[in-house]
Amino acid sequence: QVQLAEYGGGSVKPGGSRTLSCGIPKYSGRTYCMGWFRQAPGKERERVAHIYTNNGDAYYADSVKGRWTISQDDTKKTLFLEMNALKPEDTARYYCAARIRPTSGTCGTPEAYEYWGQGTQVTVSS
């Protein structure tokens, strides 16, 4: 069983920064892609950013493009989300997800992912 654990959530003021991290502590194999998603109360889960772990190609939602950066460490087992210029509308629970098996489809949707973390809350408020 692949288990993901997210860290780094909390409260931050508008315009501030926060970095989330996600690890797969008990998995020694490779992943195909990993992503960050978020879900605010009453809204559907949406993709924030995802990365193809083999080549590092990263993709972003328009709402965060230019503000945030998804990255992985050298082991490709820890995923990061550097969030800058945070806005109140970024308030949500943030989830890390991983897909192990390669796919010809996109990794840009929740349906692409096989494993999910429990999420970490980010609240942007003055």
Side-chain angles (χ1 to χ4, degrees):
Q1 182 72 17
V2 177
Q3 295 179 321
L4 286 75
E6 301 101 335
Y7 303 93
S11 296
V12 62
K13 295 185 183 301
S17 299
R18 198 89 179 177
T19 297
L20 305 181
S21 62
C22 169
I24 318 177
K26 299 181 179 179
Y27 177 67
S28 60
R30 294 184 176 181
T31 58
Y32 177 72
C33 57
M34 295 186 72
W36 288 101
F37 292 76
R38 67 184 180 187
Q39 188 166 19
K43 294 188 176 182
E44 292 187 352
R45 189 169 296 190
E46 63 172 347
R47 191 270 322 233
V48 171
H50 69 277
I51 188 169
Y52 292 89
T53 53
N54 184 49
N55 60 18
D57 285 350
Y59 298 86
Y60 298 89
D62 288 344
S63 58
V64 306
K65 197 174 296 181
R67 296 191 296 134
W68 298 5
T69 302
I70 187 172
S71 63
Q72 55 185 346
D73 71 351
D74 289 343
T75 69
K76 301 181 181 180
K77 296 295 175 60
T78 302
L79 187 70
F80 301 98
L81 184 67
E82 180 183 349
M83 305 183 293
N84 299 310
L86 281 159
K87 305 175 181 179
E89 52 262 43
D90 294 320
T91 296
R93 191 162 185 86
Y94 285 74
Y95 298 87
C96 173
R99 181 178 177 92
I100 305 300
R101 295 177 295 121
T103 176
S104 58
T106 178
C107 283
T109 64
E111 294 74 23
Y113 292 85
E114 300 158 319
Y115 302 99
W116 291 83
Q118 295 297 309
T120 185
Q121 179 69 31
V122 174
T123 301
V124 184
S125 173
S126 56

